[in-house]
Amino acid sequence: MHEGPFDFTRFTESGHRYLFKEYRLISSGPTSGAGTALIWSLSAFFRGLFRSKSGGKIARILFFWLRFFDRVIPVPYNIDAACGVFFIGQKTNITVSDLEVIAHYGGSQQIR
């Protein structure tokens, strides 16, 4: 979900790689994927449609099972639809170049 009173920044997996350019990458990826994103979208849709927080809660209950698709959908597609991402790294004296950051992208929209 975007916005809210304290939502000032949002990073993608590539954004994390850029932000942590002075870190050696240990691991990174989505924490939740397209199924969870769809649940969030449906929740927001029904909350707005019925102008009720309860509408959103009911949608999350009815469509909870969509989150299990996060495990079935390949990682490159979940990277592009991720509701959250993580980055684990170790501080180094070497800075990753902007071209290396771009090359790091592993989503489904890769230019081939």
Side-chain angles (χ1 to χ4, degrees):
M1 298 297 294
H2 297 298
E3 284 302 316
F6 302 103
D7 185 6
F8 303 117
T9 46
R10 183 171 308 281
F11 291 100
T12 61
E13 195 208 12
S14 294
H16 275 135
R17 189 67 201 112
Y18 181 79
L19 184 65
F20 299 111
K21 288 166 67 168
E22 295 178 357
Y23 287 75
R24 179 179 63 84
L25 172 67
I26 296 172
S27 185
S28 68
T31 57
S32 56
T36 301
L38 183 53
I39 293 169
W40 287 9
S41 293
L42 289 168
S43 174
F45 174 80
F46 285 108
R47 183 177 176 177
L49 182 65
F50 297 113
R51 292 154 186 80
S52 163
K53 287 183 181 181
S54 297
K57 289 179 183 179
I58 291 169
R60 286 194 303 274
I61 291 168
L62 290 175
F63 297 107
F64 79 94
W65 52 271
L66 290 170
R67 68 186 171 105
F68 296 112
F69 282 97
D70 290 351
R71 295 177 186 242
V72 177
I73 296 170
V75 170
Y77 295 92
N78 277 329
I79 286 172
D80 290 336
C83 295
V85 295
F86 72 94
F87 180 93
I88 300 172
Q90 182 178 21
K91 181 79 168 150
T92 66
N93 293 326
I94 300 169
T95 301
V96 174
S97 73
D98 290 348
L99 290 176
E100 290 174 297
V101 170
I102 293 168
H104 169 77
Y105 172 72
S108 65
Q109 300 176 53
Q110 292 181 11
I111 299 172
R112 298 185 195 263

